[in-house]
């Protein structure tokens, strides 16, 4: 697997792939590479003007559809437009923002990064033929799932704590979805990926002095969005293991895709089941798995 890049990606002709958050950064790089490889790419984006600008730079068959993961009505409306797809890439996200609420009253990061994607996956799963790819983060290692206060209503709010919780939730979801798919005999795959440390717009939206530190790190350490997208592209197109997690091969920070590990907390099956049940209650979306 060492050195895998877009030149090694199989021909994607005939595949329909949904990419959330495809207007910039990792999502845009992912969508562009898939379109160049022949896939029909559905860019699921909140900002249609930015999506149109990004789409004009992409080759091949690219469609734009409106999706705001911070609004479950928007998630349902988008799902209604999808007849079928081969792959769903849950990429969109916000990072370390001030305490805000989604349209449904969820804390913004758990609501956008996790609950919105949970609902989207549940609504589309019977129309996804091959695999679901969730974009997590190395920051999941500091994440803690508080099932009694998922939306930070009683805890002192922590921007990075909330971000890390959302990314840990995505891993718990990935592994639990694969367990349920396997139990039902489905050949669909649930896999996860992370970009390592990639310089993208999401890291410039923290809205505080930390932006200066992040900006310095982007210049000195971070890899490009194109490199950061490789683990997601690998997870979406290559021969992968069910329920596996892929990231950069150089200490999880940068490099080419490889299978990576995740924390014991991400493999806690009891927490995963409880989080799944809570997520179904919060979103009103019941999985047919």
């Amino acid at each position: 697997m060492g050195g895998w890049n877009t030149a090694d990606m199989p021909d994607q002709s005939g595949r329909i792939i949904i990419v959330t958050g495809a207007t910039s950064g990792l999502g845009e790089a992912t969508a562009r590479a898939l379109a160049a490889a022949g896939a029909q790419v559905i860019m699921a984006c909140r900002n249609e003007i930015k999506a149109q600008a990004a789409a004009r730079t992409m080759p091949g068959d690219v469609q734009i559809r409106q999706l705001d993961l911070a609004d479950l009505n928007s998630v349902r409306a988008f799902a209604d437009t999808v007849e079928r797809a081969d792959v769903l890439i849950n990429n969109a996200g916000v990072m370390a923002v001030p305490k805000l609420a989604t349209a449904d009253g969820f804390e913004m990061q758990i609501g956008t990064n996790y609950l919105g994607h949970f609902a989207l996956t549940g609504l589309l799963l019977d129309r996804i033929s091959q695999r679901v790819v969730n974009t997590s983060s190395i920051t999941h290692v500091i994440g803690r799932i508080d099932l009694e206060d998922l939306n930070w209503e009683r805890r002192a709010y922590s921007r990075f704590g909330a971000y890390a919780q959302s990314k840990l939730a995505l891993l718990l979801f990935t592994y639990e979805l694969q367990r349920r798919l396997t139990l039902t005999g489905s050949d669909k795959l649930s896999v996860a990926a992370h970009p390592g440390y990639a310089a993208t717009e999401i890291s410039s939206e923290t809205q505080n002095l930390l932006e200066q530190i992040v900006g310095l790190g982007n210049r000195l350490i971070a890899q490009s969005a194109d490199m950061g997208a490789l683990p997601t592209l690998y997870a979406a197109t290559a021969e992968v293991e069910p329920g596996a997690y892929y990231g950069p091969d150089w200490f999880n920070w940068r490099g080419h895709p490889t299978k990576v590990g995740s924390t014991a907390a991400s493999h806690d099956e009891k927490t995963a089941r409880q989080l799944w049940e809570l997520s179904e209650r919060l979103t009103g979306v019941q999985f047919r798995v």
Side-chain angles (χ1 to χ4, degrees):
M1 190 189 306
W4 190 94
N5 57 49
T6 53
D8 301 304
M9 191 162 56
D11 180 19
Q12 298 299 297
S13 298
R15 296 179 98 199
I16 300 174
I17 303 179
I18 300 168
V19 183
T20 69
T23 58
S24 62
L26 298 171
E28 182 180 2
T30 299
R32 180 178 291 105
L34 291 168
Q40 176 184 322
V41 176
I42 298 175
M43 298 173 64
C45 304
R46 181 173 55 86
N47 188 321
E48 293 186 70
I49 294 175
K50 288 182 67 176
Q52 290 168 2
R56 285 194 290 270
T57 71
M58 298 180 188
D61 187 352
V62 179
Q63 301 178 15
I64 299 169
R65 299 187 195 173
Q66 205 279 331
L67 170 65
D68 184 353
L69 288 158
D71 183 344
L72 290 178
N73 285 332
S74 177
V75 173
R76 291 186 172 89
F78 171 83
D80 287 343
T81 72
V82 178
E83 294 183 5
R84 74 171 191 88
D86 297 291
V87 180
L88 169 63
I89 300 177
N90 290 323
N91 162 83
V94 293
M95 177 182 174
V97 296
K99 189 175 183 181
L100 301 168
T102 69
D104 304 281
F106 307 137
E107 183 276 319
M108 184 62 71
Q109 296 187 82
I110 197 73
T112 303
N113 300 355
Y114 169 64
L115 289 170
H117 282 129
F118 178 92
L120 179 64
T121 304
L123 292 167
L124 290 180
L125 191 59
D126 60 347
R127 285 167 274 170
I128 302 296
S129 65
Q130 296 177 6
R131 63 184 78 174
V132 175
V133 180
N134 291 316
T135 303
S136 186
S137 166
I138 53 178
T139 60
H140 87 273
V141 300
I142 62 170
R144 174 176 171 266
I145 300 294
D146 189 334
L147 294 167
E148 301 300 320
D149 190 21
L150 197 68
N151 287 298
W152 297 82
E153 295 167 327
R154 294 184 291 277
R155 291 178 283 172
Y157 183 68
S158 164
R159 298 182 185 198
F160 275 96
Y163 179 71
Q165 177 184 244
S166 72
K167 292 302 183 177
L168 175 57
L170 280 168
L171 280 179
L172 285 160
F173 172 48
T174 299
Y175 300 150
E176 180 66 12
L177 177 57
Q178 184 62 64
R179 284 189 289 269
R180 295 183 183 221
L181 290 169
T182 300
L183 283 172
T184 62
S186 173
D187 60 359
K188 297 178 187 180
L189 298 177
S190 173
V191 293
H194 80 83
Y197 189 178
T200 67
E201 285 188 13
I202 191 172
S203 63
S204 68
E205 295 176 354
T206 56
Q207 300 181 25
N208 64 10
L209 293 177
L210 185 60
E211 289 184 13
Q212 298 178 26
I213 299 172
V214 171
L216 179 62
N218 284 349
R219 292 190 295 273
L220 298 180
I221 304 172
Q223 60 183 358
S224 67
D226 287 341
M227 285 297 296
L230 288 180
T232 296
L233 290 166
Y234 187 91
T237 67
E239 292 288 334
V240 297
E241 297 180 24
Y245 185 33
Y246 297 91
D249 58 7
W250 191 77
F251 299 102
N252 265 320
W253 282 84
R254 57 188 299 148
H256 296 272
T258 190
K259 184 181 176 183
V260 296
S262 60
T263 60
S266 71
H267 292 282
D268 186 326
E269 295 188 22
K270 180 180 179 181
T271 298
R273 289 193 300 270
Q274 292 175 331
L275 178 63
W276 184 291
E277 292 165 2
L278 175 60
S279 302
E280 287 191 330
R281 291 198 302 273
L282 290 173
T283 63
V285 174
Q286 303 291 315
F287 277 64
R288 297 187 183 94
V289 180

